[in-house]
Amino acid sequence: KGGAGLTPAEGGWLPVGPSAVPFDGKAITPVEASHGELERIVEAWIAATRRALAAGFRLIEVHAAHGYLLASFISPLTNKRTDEYGGSLDNRMRAPLQVLARVREMVGKDFMIGVRFLGEECIKGGYTTEESATIALRMAQSGVDYISLSAGGKFEDAVHKEGEVLY
């Protein structure tokens, strides 16, 4: 799973995320990923792709929703970076697009790749349906064969206290 959504009950791992912002009140605060760690994250996706290919899988879906690491980069709620991986939507999409490009490069054009992300975070300050259309376009331009949309975020503890849940 990784990312800001990692909870202490999930093996005691110290999560890495785009910024030191927890996904919800139950998650632990991740350590902001360095540029070197970002390179290792991309390489970890390539290693996972190799394992999937060796196991005979015929498609790969990159998960960029529900507080997972790549989702944390896309969301303005968990990505507070001020470098080329944060700020604008283009910058927040940089890490997920790098993963998709490397996976595509590894498997070739005839292998199916999908991506799952949120059509809307449904949380005040999260990305909207309008931004999601841009995200989908950029994902499609990156060479994915299909997009799997979900909706909703998980900042329940912090959000419910303030009454900011939009759904």
Side-chain angles (χ1 to χ4, degrees):
K1 181 175 184 176
L6 188 70
T7 61
E10 296 181 63
W13 297 96
L14 182 60
V16 173
S19 304
V21 177
F23 182 60
D24 66 16
K26 298 175 194 85
I28 55 180
T29 302
V31 173
E32 184 173 308
S34 69
H35 282 86
E37 287 166 323
L38 291 172
E39 291 172 18
R40 287 190 294 279
I41 288 165
V42 173
E43 291 308 314
W45 276 95
I46 297 308
T49 300
R50 281 190 191 100
R51 290 189 301 273
L53 292 171
F57 284 89
R58 301 187 67 178
L59 71 88
I60 291 182
E61 183 171 276
V62 173
H63 201 318
H66 309 120
Y68 285 74
L69 183 58
L70 297 179
S72 297
F73 274 92
I74 297 171
S75 175
L77 295 169
T78 49
N79 186 341
K80 303 297 184 185
R81 296 178 77 102
T82 58
D83 63 5
E84 69 271 25
Y85 289 93
S88 70
L89 180 58
D90 284 342
N91 284 355
R92 294 191 326 263
M93 289 188 62
R94 188 176 310 278
L97 291 175
Q98 286 175 337
V99 167
L100 289 168
R102 288 292 308 281
V103 169
R104 174 56 73 201
E105 178 183 304
M106 182 177 181
V107 301
K109 63 180 176 69
D110 296 326
F111 191 89
M112 293 232 8
I113 298 175
V115 64
R116 182 172 180 84
F117 71 95
L118 298 175
E120 182 167 342
E121 284 189 283
C122 302
I123 299 168
K124 185 176 182 180
Y127 67 81
T128 63
T129 303
E130 291 77 19
E131 285 180 300
S132 180
T134 301
I135 294 167
L137 178 62
R138 301 266 166 67
M139 298 280 189
Q141 290 169 339
S142 78
V144 298
D145 297 295
Y146 71 90
I147 293 171
S148 171
L149 282 181
S150 188
K154 206 185 146 196
F155 287 78
E156 292 97 357
D157 291 354
V159 175
H160 283 166
K161 291 177 189 170
E162 299 174 23
E164 296 177 340
V165 175
L166 300 179
Y167 51 89

